[in-house]
Amino acid sequence: MNTDWHFPVMIFTSLLVFFLVIRAVLPRQEFVRKKYTVVLLSIWVVVVGMLFGKYGASWGLPWYIYYPIPMLMTVLMPPFVLKLKKNKTILYLLLSFLSAPFIHIFFSFFFGWTEYMPFWEIPTAQALFS
């Protein structure tokens, strides 16, 4: 079964979730005022980060390079680039740490796609209810 198309769907979903997290953290006017920054940040953090994480192993990089770099980009860049205050940074970090497992659980449980976080096994809805 060809699963190559899963990755672009996961990138799109991650972009959507990232936008929702940023929107939850920033007040509406600030989100609108910084929309171009948010778009560029999203592309860099989500798209570039996920591509680097996915293909890092193929490039022969050790796991301690291709796994933590995208994670650090996700954790450090938005608070710095968006100039978040302490309480907004804490909210962002909480939501960002919850978003990856949420996306993985969603795809694993409903579709049986395990590529997002392959080291964490989630049973599928089909397996539970059959």
Side-chain angles (χ1 to χ4, degrees):
M1 182 165 127
N2 183 359
T3 60
D4 291 343
W5 62 278
H6 291 186
F7 190 62
V9 172
M10 289 180 188
I11 287 177
F12 178 77
T13 304
S14 298
L15 272 170
L16 179 62
V17 170
F18 186 81
F19 275 119
L20 292 173
V21 166
I22 297 299
R23 177 59 191 98
V25 170
L26 294 179
R28 184 187 182 298
Q29 288 180 334
E30 188 176 354
F31 183 81
V32 170
R33 193 174 68 246
K34 294 180 176 180
K35 65 185 170 219
Y36 298 114
T37 303
V38 170
V39 168
L40 291 174
L41 181 65
S42 301
I43 291 168
W44 185 256
V45 169
V46 176
V47 178
V48 173
M50 287 182 72
L51 288 169
F52 184 81
K54 179 172 177 66
Y55 295 109
S58 302
W59 298 331
L61 298 175
W63 72 267
Y64 54 84
I65 300 291
Y66 70 79
Y67 187 77
I69 286 179
M71 186 268 304
L72 288 171
M73 287 169 45
T74 303
V75 169
L76 299 175
M77 287 186 72
F80 177 74
V81 170
L82 298 172
K83 298 176 178 81
L84 300 179
K85 303 240 186 254
K86 182 180 178 181
N87 61 338
K88 297 291 184 179
T89 298
I90 291 169
L91 177 61
Y92 168 76
L93 291 174
L94 175 68
L95 293 174
S96 69
F97 278 115
L98 292 174
S99 67
F102 172 78
I103 294 168
H104 174 67
I105 290 168
F106 177 80
F107 281 117
S108 294
F109 185 74
F110 290 108
F111 301 106
W113 301 0
T114 58
E115 305 95 329
Y116 199 82
M117 297 173 88
F119 48 84
W120 186 23
E121 191 172 326
I122 303 292
T124 65
Q126 183 180 14
L128 286 177
F129 300 116
S130 12

